[in-house]
Amino acid sequence: MKDFLLCVDSDGCAIDGMTIKHLRCFGPCYVSVFKMEEHAEELLTEWNRWNLYSTTRGKNRFLGLLAILEYANGKGYANVDVSALKSWIDTTAELSNKSLDAQMAVVSDPTLTLAKEWSLAVNASVAALRLDEKKAFDGVGDCFAQAKKDWDIAVVSSANAKAVEDEWSANGIYEYCDEVMTQEHGSKYDCIMRMLKMGYAADKVLMVGDAPGDKAAAEKAGVLFYPIIPTKEVECWKRLRTSVLAAVTDGSYKDTLMQQYTDEYFAVLASLS
C-alpha cells in the first residue's frame, strides 16, 4: 500500500459518459416506464437540468427519480404516490437495485415496482450504448500512469460495478485501479471511509469528482477534493497530472489551491444552470 490514495469518480469525471447516459437513457426511460410521453419535452429538460446542470449534478439515480416524480406531481402532470420510494431512500444504507429488491420483498408498492422496472431499463439502455460513445477524457490515462508511481488509485462511484468495469476496461484504465468502490458498497462517503480504514491518512487522500456530492463526501470524510469542471475536463485532468498531484504530496494543495479550484468549479456550474 502506498502512502497516497487517489479516489476517482467515473461518469462525468474520468469517463465522458454522463451526459449521453442522461440524454439517451435515464430521462427517456423515465418517460417510457411512467408513461409521461405527453409532457416528455418539459420533463426531459427538467431531468437534464437536475442531473447535469445544477448543484444536484451527479446524484444517485434514485434521488433523481424521486425529484422528477415530485416535479411531475407538482406540475399536475401525474399523481404518483412517492411515499414508499421516499421512505426507502431515507432509510436504506445503499441506493442500489439490490437494496430496492430487499425493500420490495417486505413492502408491496406500485411505485417501487416501477422504480425497479425503470432502473433495469436504464441499465439495459446504458449497456446498449456503444463503448466508443463512453470514452475516457483525454489525459486520464496519462494522469493515472504518472500517479501510479506514488499513489494507489480507487474508483469511488455511484454507478454499478459492472458498468465501471466495462467502461474503464474498454478505455484501458481499469488496470490502474487498486480498489473499485461502487453503489454496491454504499455512498461515496461510505466508500472513502472504507479506504481510510485501510490505513490511509486523510490528508494524503484526494477525491477527484465532477459533482457537488463528490465534494460533500470528501469534506464529510475529512479528505482533500479536486474538481473536474464540466466543459473543462481535459484542462482539469492536465492540471491534476502536472501540478495538483505534486502539490498534494508536498502538502501545499490544501492551503489555497483546493479552495481556488473549488470556487472555479462552482462558478462554471452556476453559468451552466
PDB file of all heavy atoms in Angstrom, residues 115-148:
ATOM      1  N   ALA A 115     -40.124   1.809 -10.091  1.00  0.00           N
ATOM      2  CA  ALA A 115     -38.748   2.287  -9.910  1.00  0.00           C
ATOM      3  C   ALA A 115     -37.752   1.201 -10.303  1.00  0.00           C
ATOM      4  O   ALA A 115     -36.731   1.478 -10.955  1.00  0.00           O
ATOM      5  CB  ALA A 115     -38.522   2.719  -8.467  1.00  0.00           C
ATOM      6  N   LYS A 116     -38.044  -0.032  -9.924  1.00  0.00           N
ATOM      7  CA  LYS A 116     -37.157  -1.140 -10.296  1.00  0.00           C
ATOM      8  C   LYS A 116     -37.206  -1.381 -11.801  1.00  0.00           C
ATOM      9  O   LYS A 116     -36.162  -1.594 -12.442  1.00  0.00           O
ATOM     10  CB  LYS A 116     -37.564  -2.405  -9.547  1.00  0.00           C
ATOM     11  CG  LYS A 116     -36.699  -3.629  -9.887  1.00  0.00           C
ATOM     12  CD  LYS A 116     -35.240  -3.408  -9.520  1.00  0.00           C
ATOM     13  CE  LYS A 116     -34.360  -4.594  -9.938  1.00  0.00           C
ATOM     14  NZ  LYS A 116     -34.761  -5.855  -9.300  1.00  0.00           N
ATOM     15  N   GLU A 117     -38.390  -1.332 -12.379  1.00  0.00           N
ATOM     16  CA  GLU A 117     -38.520  -1.503 -13.827  1.00  0.00           C
ATOM     17  C   GLU A 117     -37.725  -0.419 -14.557  1.00  0.00           C
ATOM     18  O   GLU A 117     -37.022  -0.692 -15.538  1.00  0.00           O
ATOM     19  CB  GLU A 117     -39.992  -1.440 -14.232  1.00  0.00           C
ATOM     20  CG  GLU A 117     -40.228  -1.607 -15.727  1.00  0.00           C
ATOM     21  CD  GLU A 117     -41.690  -1.465 -16.119  1.00  0.00           C
ATOM     22  OE1 GLU A 117     -42.569  -1.533 -15.238  1.00  0.00           O
ATOM     23  OE2 GLU A 117     -41.956  -1.269 -17.336  1.00  0.00           O
ATOM     24  N   TRP A 118     -37.844   0.808 -14.073  1.00  0.00           N
ATOM     25  CA  TRP A 118     -37.105   1.923 -14.675  1.00  0.00           C
ATOM     26  C   TRP A 118     -35.599   1.717 -14.557  1.00  0.00           C
ATOM     27  O   TRP A 118     -34.859   1.898 -15.530  1.00  0.00           O
ATOM     28  CB  TRP A 118     -37.520   3.228 -13.997  1.00  0.00           C
ATOM     29  CG  TRP A 118     -36.625   4.393 -14.291  1.00  0.00           C
ATOM     30  CD1 TRP A 118     -36.602   5.141 -15.426  1.00  0.00           C
ATOM     31  CD2 TRP A 118     -35.603   4.927 -13.439  1.00  0.00           C
ATOM     32  NE1 TRP A 118     -35.637   6.124 -15.331  1.00  0.00           N
ATOM     33  CE2 TRP A 118     -35.019   6.014 -14.128  1.00  0.00           C
ATOM     34  CE3 TRP A 118     -35.142   4.602 -12.169  1.00  0.00           C
ATOM     35  CZ2 TRP A 118     -33.982   6.771 -13.573  1.00  0.00           C
ATOM     36  CZ3 TRP A 118     -34.116   5.354 -11.618  1.00  0.00           C
ATOM     37  CH2 TRP A 118     -33.553   6.427 -12.321  1.00  0.00           C
ATOM     38  N   SER A 119     -35.132   1.322 -13.383  1.00  0.00           N
ATOM     39  CA  SER A 119     -33.700   1.149 -13.166  1.00  0.00           C
ATOM     40  C   SER A 119     -33.135   0.056 -14.063  1.00  0.00           C
ATOM     41  O   SER A 119     -32.038   0.198 -14.625  1.00  0.00           O
ATOM     42  CB  SER A 119     -33.431   0.824 -11.696  1.00  0.00           C
ATOM     43  OG  SER A 119     -32.040   0.831 -11.432  1.00  0.00           O
ATOM     44  N   LEU A 120     -33.867  -1.033 -14.212  1.00  0.00           N
ATOM     45  CA  LEU A 120     -33.419  -2.101 -15.099  1.00  0.00           C
ATOM     46  C   LEU A 120     -33.425  -1.641 -16.556  1.00  0.00           C
ATOM     47  O   LEU A 120     -32.523  -1.992 -17.333  1.00  0.00           O
ATOM     48  CB  LEU A 120     -34.310  -3.332 -14.938  1.00  0.00           C
ATOM     49  CG  LEU A 120     -34.206  -4.074 -13.602  1.00  0.00           C
ATOM     50  CD1 LEU A 120     -35.202  -5.221 -13.550  1.00  0.00           C
ATOM     51  CD2 LEU A 120     -32.786  -4.581 -13.367  1.00  0.00           C
ATOM     52  N   ALA A 121     -34.431  -0.851 -16.926  1.00  0.00           N
ATOM     53  CA  ALA A 121     -34.484  -0.313 -18.287  1.00  0.00           C
ATOM     54  C   ALA A 121     -33.302   0.613 -18.549  1.00  0.00           C
ATOM     55  O   ALA A 121     -32.716   0.604 -19.645  1.00  0.00           O
ATOM     56  CB  ALA A 121     -35.802   0.424 -18.509  1.00  0.00           C
ATOM     57  N   VAL A 122     -32.942   1.409 -17.548  1.00  0.00           N
ATOM     58  CA  VAL A 122     -31.774   2.291 -17.673  1.00  0.00           C
ATOM     59  C   VAL A 122     -30.517   1.456 -17.893  1.00  0.00           C
ATOM     60  O   VAL A 122     -29.706   1.744 -18.781  1.00  0.00           O
ATOM     61  CB  VAL A 122     -31.624   3.182 -16.433  1.00  0.00           C
ATOM     62  CG1 VAL A 122     -30.250   3.863 -16.429  1.00  0.00           C
ATOM     63  CG2 VAL A 122     -32.723   4.234 -16.386  1.00  0.00           C
ATOM     64  N   ASN A 123     -30.341   0.415 -17.080  1.00  0.00           N
ATOM     65  CA  ASN A 123     -29.150  -0.424 -17.216  1.00  0.00           C
ATOM     66  C   ASN A 123     -29.060  -1.030 -18.615  1.00  0.00           C
ATOM     67  O   ASN A 123     -27.985  -1.079 -19.221  1.00  0.00           O
ATOM     68  CB  ASN A 123     -29.155  -1.534 -16.170  1.00  0.00           C
ATOM     69  CG  ASN A 123     -28.831  -1.023 -14.779  1.00  0.00           C
ATOM     70  OD1 ASN A 123     -28.470   0.136 -14.601  1.00  0.00           O
ATOM     71  ND2 ASN A 123     -28.968  -1.872 -13.790  1.00  0.00           N
ATOM     72  N   ALA A 124     -30.203  -1.517 -19.113  1.00  0.00           N
ATOM     73  CA  ALA A 124     -30.216  -2.112 -20.450  1.00  0.00           C
ATOM     74  C   ALA A 124     -29.904  -1.070 -21.516  1.00  0.00           C
ATOM     75  O   ALA A 124     -29.171  -1.338 -22.478  1.00  0.00           O
ATOM     76  CB  ALA A 124     -31.567  -2.761 -20.715  1.00  0.00           C
ATOM     77  N   SER A 125     -30.456   0.123 -21.351  1.00  0.00           N
ATOM     78  CA  SER A 125     -30.229   1.194 -22.314  1.00  0.00           C
ATOM     79  C   SER A 125     -28.774   1.645 -22.300  1.00  0.00           C
ATOM     80  O   SER A 125     -28.174   1.883 -23.361  1.00  0.00           O
ATOM     81  CB  SER A 125     -31.157   2.374 -21.996  1.00  0.00           C
ATOM     82  OG  SER A 125     -31.033   3.400 -22.942  1.00  0.00           O
ATOM     83  N   VAL A 126     -28.190   1.766 -21.111  1.00  0.00           N
ATOM     84  CA  VAL A 126     -26.775   2.144 -20.994  1.00  0.00           C
ATOM     85  C   VAL A 126     -25.892   1.066 -21.614  1.00  0.00           C
ATOM     86  O   VAL A 126     -24.930   1.364 -22.335  1.00  0.00           O
ATOM     87  CB  VAL A 126     -26.399   2.369 -19.515  1.00  0.00           C
ATOM     88  CG1 VAL A 126     -24.886   2.462 -19.359  1.00  0.00           C
ATOM     89  CG2 VAL A 126     -27.056   3.642 -18.988  1.00  0.00           C
ATOM     90  N   ALA A 127     -26.235  -0.189 -21.351  1.00  0.00           N
ATOM     91  CA  ALA A 127     -25.445  -1.297 -21.898  1.00  0.00           C
ATOM     92  C   ALA A 127     -25.489  -1.317 -23.421  1.00  0.00           C
ATOM     93  O   ALA A 127     -24.551  -1.800 -24.071  1.00  0.00           O
ATOM     94  CB  ALA A 127     -25.944  -2.623 -21.338  1.00  0.00           C
ATOM     95  N   ALA A 128     -26.579  -0.801 -23.979  1.00  0.00           N
ATOM     96  CA  ALA A 128     -26.737  -0.791 -25.439  1.00  0.00           C
ATOM     97  C   ALA A 128     -25.930   0.314 -26.109  1.00  0.00           C
ATOM     98  O   ALA A 128     -25.731   0.281 -27.327  1.00  0.00           O
ATOM     99  CB  ALA A 128     -28.207  -0.649 -25.803  1.00  0.00           C
ATOM    100  N   LEU A 129     -25.481   1.289 -25.328  1.00  0.00           N
ATOM    101  CA  LEU A 129     -24.628   2.328 -25.899  1.00  0.00           C
ATOM    102  C   LEU A 129     -23.309   1.704 -26.338  1.00  0.00           C
ATOM    103  O   LEU A 129     -22.761   0.827 -25.670  1.00  0.00           O
ATOM    104  CB  LEU A 129     -24.342   3.422 -24.861  1.00  0.00           C
ATOM    105  CG  LEU A 129     -25.516   4.288 -24.407  1.00  0.00           C
ATOM    106  CD1 LEU A 129     -25.076   5.202 -23.266  1.00  0.00           C
ATOM    107  CD2 LEU A 129     -26.073   5.122 -25.564  1.00  0.00           C
ATOM    108  N   ARG A 130     -22.799   2.154 -27.442  1.00  0.00           N
ATOM    109  CA  ARG A 130     -21.511   1.644 -27.900  1.00  0.00           C
ATOM    110  C   ARG A 130     -20.408   2.113 -26.952  1.00  0.00           C
ATOM    111  O   ARG A 130     -20.450   3.237 -26.436  1.00  0.00           O
ATOM    112  CB  ARG A 130     -21.203   2.130 -29.314  1.00  0.00           C
ATOM    113  CG  ARG A 130     -22.211   1.719 -30.371  1.00  0.00           C
ATOM    114  CD  ARG A 130     -21.661   2.007 -31.770  1.00  0.00           C
ATOM    115  NE  ARG A 130     -21.017   3.299 -31.878  1.00  0.00           N
ATOM    116  CZ  ARG A 130     -21.659   4.437 -32.188  1.00  0.00           C
ATOM    117  NH1 ARG A 130     -22.969   4.434 -32.403  1.00  0.00           N
ATOM    118  NH2 ARG A 130     -20.990   5.577 -32.282  1.00  0.00           N
ATOM    119  N   LEU A 131     -19.425   1.261 -26.728  1.00  0.00           N
ATOM    120  CA  LEU A 131     -18.333   1.631 -25.842  1.00  0.00           C
ATOM    121  C   LEU A 131     -17.577   2.846 -26.361  1.00  0.00           C
ATOM    122  O   LEU A 131     -17.031   3.626 -25.583  1.00  0.00           O
ATOM    123  CB  LEU A 131     -17.380   0.444 -25.653  1.00  0.00           C
ATOM    124  CG  LEU A 131     -17.910  -0.675 -24.746  1.00  0.00           C
ATOM    125  CD1 LEU A 131     -16.926  -1.838 -24.727  1.00  0.00           C
ATOM    126  CD2 LEU A 131     -18.158  -0.169 -23.326  1.00  0.00           C
ATOM    127  N   ASP A 132     -17.556   3.030 -27.690  1.00  0.00           N
ATOM    128  CA  ASP A 132     -16.848   4.198 -28.223  1.00  0.00           C
ATOM    129  C   ASP A 132     -17.626   5.486 -28.004  1.00  0.00           C
ATOM    130  O   ASP A 132     -17.138   6.579 -28.322  1.00  0.00           O
ATOM    131  CB  ASP A 132     -16.500   4.022 -29.700  1.00  0.00           C
ATOM    132  CG  ASP A 132     -17.726   3.897 -30.603  1.00  0.00           C
ATOM    133  OD1 ASP A 132     -18.862   4.049 -30.114  1.00  0.00           O
ATOM    134  OD2 ASP A 132     -17.548   3.644 -31.807  1.00  0.00           O
ATOM    135  N   GLU A 133     -18.833   5.379 -27.440  1.00  0.00           N
ATOM    136  CA  GLU A 133     -19.601   6.564 -27.056  1.00  0.00           C
ATOM    137  C   GLU A 133     -19.337   6.937 -25.594  1.00  0.00           C
ATOM    138  O   GLU A 133     -19.862   7.940 -25.112  1.00  0.00           O
ATOM    139  CB  GLU A 133     -21.095   6.318 -27.267  1.00  0.00           C
ATOM    140  CG  GLU A 133     -21.494   6.111 -28.709  1.00  0.00           C
ATOM    141  CD  GLU A 133     -22.978   5.852 -28.888  1.00  0.00           C
ATOM    142  OE1 GLU A 133     -23.458   4.777 -28.469  1.00  0.00           O
ATOM    143  OE2 GLU A 133     -23.666   6.739 -29.427  1.00  0.00           O
ATOM    144  N   LYS A 134     -18.536   6.146 -24.909  1.00  0.00           N
ATOM    145  CA  LYS A 134     -18.236   6.379 -23.490  1.00  0.00           C
ATOM    146  C   LYS A 134     -16.721   6.348 -23.305  1.00  0.00           C
ATOM    147  O   LYS A 134     -16.170   5.455 -22.678  1.00  0.00           O
ATOM    148  CB  LYS A 134     -18.928   5.321 -22.623  1.00  0.00           C
ATOM    149  CG  LYS A 134     -20.442   5.353 -22.698  1.00  0.00           C
ATOM    150  CD  LYS A 134     -21.084   4.201 -21.961  1.00  0.00           C
ATOM    151  CE  LYS A 134     -21.015   2.911 -22.738  1.00  0.00           C
ATOM    152  NZ  LYS A 134     -21.750   1.797 -22.082  1.00  0.00           N
ATOM    153  N   LYS A 135     -16.078   7.348 -23.872  1.00  0.00           N
ATOM    154  CA  LYS A 135     -14.629   7.441 -23.848  1.00  0.00           C
ATOM    155  C   LYS A 135     -14.130   8.101 -22.563  1.00  0.00           C
ATOM    156  O   LYS A 135     -14.792   8.981 -22.000  1.00  0.00           O
ATOM    157  CB  LYS A 135     -14.133   8.270 -25.031  1.00  0.00           C
ATOM    158  CG  LYS A 135     -14.304   7.604 -26.392  1.00  0.00           C
ATOM    159  CD  LYS A 135     -13.298   6.489 -26.572  1.00  0.00           C
ATOM    160  CE  LYS A 135     -13.283   6.006 -28.018  1.00  0.00           C
ATOM    161  NZ  LYS A 135     -12.341   4.877 -28.195  1.00  0.00           N
ATOM    162  N   ALA A 136     -12.941   7.680 -22.123  1.00  0.00           N
ATOM    163  CA  ALA A 136     -12.270   8.414 -21.054  1.00  0.00           C
ATOM    164  C   ALA A 136     -11.866   9.782 -21.592  1.00  0.00           C
ATOM    165  O   ALA A 136     -11.519   9.923 -22.770  1.00  0.00           O
ATOM    166  CB  ALA A 136     -11.049   7.656 -20.576  1.00  0.00           C
ATOM    167  N   PHE A 137     -11.938  10.795 -20.741  1.00  0.00           N
ATOM    168  CA  PHE A 137     -11.488  12.119 -21.157  1.00  0.00           C
ATOM    169  C   PHE A 137     -10.004  12.066 -21.507  1.00  0.00           C
ATOM    170  O   PHE A 137      -9.225  11.317 -20.885  1.00  0.00           O
ATOM    171  CB  PHE A 137     -11.724  13.147 -20.049  1.00  0.00           C
ATOM    172  CG  PHE A 137     -13.164  13.520 -19.853  1.00  0.00           C
ATOM    173  CD1 PHE A 137     -13.873  13.053 -18.762  1.00  0.00           C
ATOM    174  CD2 PHE A 137     -13.820  14.333 -20.769  1.00  0.00           C
ATOM    175  CE1 PHE A 137     -15.214  13.392 -18.578  1.00  0.00           C
ATOM    176  CE2 PHE A 137     -15.158  14.671 -20.604  1.00  0.00           C
ATOM    177  CZ  PHE A 137     -15.845  14.204 -19.504  1.00  0.00           C
ATOM    178  N   ASP A 138      -9.605  12.861 -22.463  1.00  0.00           N
ATOM    179  CA  ASP A 138      -8.196  12.936 -22.832  1.00  0.00           C
ATOM    180  C   ASP A 138      -7.363  13.302 -21.607  1.00  0.00           C
ATOM    181  O   ASP A 138      -7.680  14.259 -20.886  1.00  0.00           O
ATOM    182  CB  ASP A 138      -7.980  13.988 -23.924  1.00  0.00           C
ATOM    183  CG  ASP A 138      -8.513  13.552 -25.278  1.00  0.00           C
ATOM    184  OD1 ASP A 138      -8.796  12.351 -25.442  1.00  0.00           O
ATOM    185  OD2 ASP A 138      -8.654  14.422 -26.161  1.00  0.00           O
ATOM    186  N   GLY A 139      -6.320  12.559 -21.380  1.00  0.00           N
ATOM    187  CA  GLY A 139      -5.410  12.851 -20.279  1.00  0.00           C
ATOM    188  C   GLY A 139      -5.605  11.992 -19.047  1.00  0.00           C
ATOM    189  O   GLY A 139      -4.738  11.979 -18.160  1.00  0.00           O
ATOM    190  N   VAL A 140      -6.712  11.262 -18.969  1.00  0.00           N
ATOM    191  CA  VAL A 140      -6.961  10.431 -17.783  1.00  0.00           C
ATOM    192  C   VAL A 140      -5.904   9.336 -17.671  1.00  0.00           C
ATOM    193  O   VAL A 140      -5.297   9.135 -16.617  1.00  0.00           O
ATOM    194  CB  VAL A 140      -8.375   9.827 -17.812  1.00  0.00           C
ATOM    195  CG1 VAL A 140      -8.552   8.837 -16.658  1.00  0.00           C
ATOM    196  CG2 VAL A 140      -9.432  10.919 -17.729  1.00  0.00           C
ATOM    197  N   GLY A 141      -5.689   8.610 -18.755  1.00  0.00           N
ATOM    198  CA  GLY A 141      -4.700   7.531 -18.724  1.00  0.00           C
ATOM    199  C   GLY A 141      -3.305   8.034 -18.407  1.00  0.00           C
ATOM    200  O   GLY A 141      -2.572   7.414 -17.626  1.00  0.00           O
ATOM    201  N   ASP A 142      -2.928   9.159 -18.996  1.00  0.00           N
ATOM    202  CA  ASP A 142      -1.611   9.740 -18.720  1.00  0.00           C
ATOM    203  C   ASP A 142      -1.477  10.117 -17.249  1.00  0.00           C
ATOM    204  O   ASP A 142      -0.423   9.921 -16.630  1.00  0.00           O
ATOM    205  CB  ASP A 142      -1.388  10.975 -19.586  1.00  0.00           C
ATOM    206  CG  ASP A 142      -1.222  10.644 -21.064  1.00  0.00           C
ATOM    207  OD1 ASP A 142      -0.918   9.481 -21.386  1.00  0.00           O
ATOM    208  OD2 ASP A 142      -1.418  11.554 -21.893  1.00  0.00           O
ATOM    209  N   CYS A 143      -2.550  10.659 -16.692  1.00  0.00           N
ATOM    210  CA  CYS A 143      -2.542  11.045 -15.279  1.00  0.00           C
ATOM    211  C   CYS A 143      -2.373   9.818 -14.387  1.00  0.00           C
ATOM    212  O   CYS A 143      -1.569   9.816 -13.456  1.00  0.00           O
ATOM    213  CB  CYS A 143      -3.821  11.795 -14.939  1.00  0.00           C
ATOM    214  SG  CYS A 143      -3.877  12.415 -13.244  1.00  0.00           S
ATOM    215  N   PHE A 144      -3.130   8.776 -14.688  1.00  0.00           N
ATOM    216  CA  PHE A 144      -3.040   7.560 -13.886  1.00  0.00           C
ATOM    217  C   PHE A 144      -1.646   6.929 -13.984  1.00  0.00           C
ATOM    218  O   PHE A 144      -1.098   6.452 -12.983  1.00  0.00           O
ATOM    219  CB  PHE A 144      -4.089   6.553 -14.331  1.00  0.00           C
ATOM    220  CG  PHE A 144      -5.501   6.899 -13.925  1.00  0.00           C
ATOM    221  CD1 PHE A 144      -6.572   6.178 -14.413  1.00  0.00           C
ATOM    222  CD2 PHE A 144      -5.751   7.938 -13.044  1.00  0.00           C
ATOM    223  CE1 PHE A 144      -7.874   6.477 -14.035  1.00  0.00           C
ATOM    224  CE2 PHE A 144      -7.052   8.261 -12.663  1.00  0.00           C
ATOM    225  CZ  PHE A 144      -8.113   7.523 -13.158  1.00  0.00           C
ATOM    226  N   ALA A 145      -1.095   6.909 -15.186  1.00  0.00           N
ATOM    227  CA  ALA A 145       0.225   6.315 -15.375  1.00  0.00           C
ATOM    228  C   ALA A 145       1.269   7.033 -14.531  1.00  0.00           C
ATOM    229  O   ALA A 145       2.150   6.398 -13.932  1.00  0.00           O
ATOM    230  CB  ALA A 145       0.609   6.363 -16.857  1.00  0.00           C
ATOM    231  N   GLN A 146       1.171   8.354 -14.466  1.00  0.00           N
ATOM    232  CA  GLN A 146       2.116   9.114 -13.642  1.00  0.00           C
ATOM    233  C   GLN A 146       1.831   8.925 -12.163  1.00  0.00           C
ATOM    234  O   GLN A 146       2.757   8.743 -11.357  1.00  0.00           O
ATOM    235  CB  GLN A 146       2.038  10.600 -13.998  1.00  0.00           C
ATOM    236  CG  GLN A 146       2.955  11.473 -13.150  1.00  0.00           C
ATOM    237  CD  GLN A 146       3.040  12.896 -13.666  1.00  0.00           C
ATOM    238  OE1 GLN A 146       3.163  13.119 -14.867  1.00  0.00           O
ATOM    239  NE2 GLN A 146       2.987  13.859 -12.767  1.00  0.00           N
ATOM    240  N   ALA A 147       0.570   8.932 -11.790  1.00  0.00           N
ATOM    241  CA  ALA A 147       0.206   8.829 -10.375  1.00  0.00           C
ATOM    242  C   ALA A 147       0.631   7.503  -9.768  1.00  0.00           C
ATOM    243  O   ALA A 147       0.984   7.446  -8.582  1.00  0.00           O
ATOM    244  CB  ALA A 147      -1.299   9.019 -10.219  1.00  0.00           C
ATOM    245  N   LYS A 148       0.614   6.428 -10.551  1.00  0.00           N
ATOM    246  CA  LYS A 148       0.892   5.107 -10.009  1.00  0.00           C
ATOM    247  C   LYS A 148       2.271   4.991  -9.375  1.00  0.00           C
ATOM    248  O   LYS A 148       2.515   4.073  -8.576  1.00  0.00           O
ATOM    249  CB  LYS A 148       0.758   4.045 -11.103  1.00  0.00           C
ATOM    250  CG  LYS A 148      -0.671   3.698 -11.458  1.00  0.00           C
ATOM    251  CD  LYS A 148      -1.458   3.140 -10.270  1.00  0.00           C
ATOM    252  CE  LYS A 148      -1.012   1.747  -9.905  1.00  0.00           C
ATOM    253  NZ  LYS A 148      -1.849   1.175  -8.822  1.00  0.00           N
TER     254      LYS A 148
END
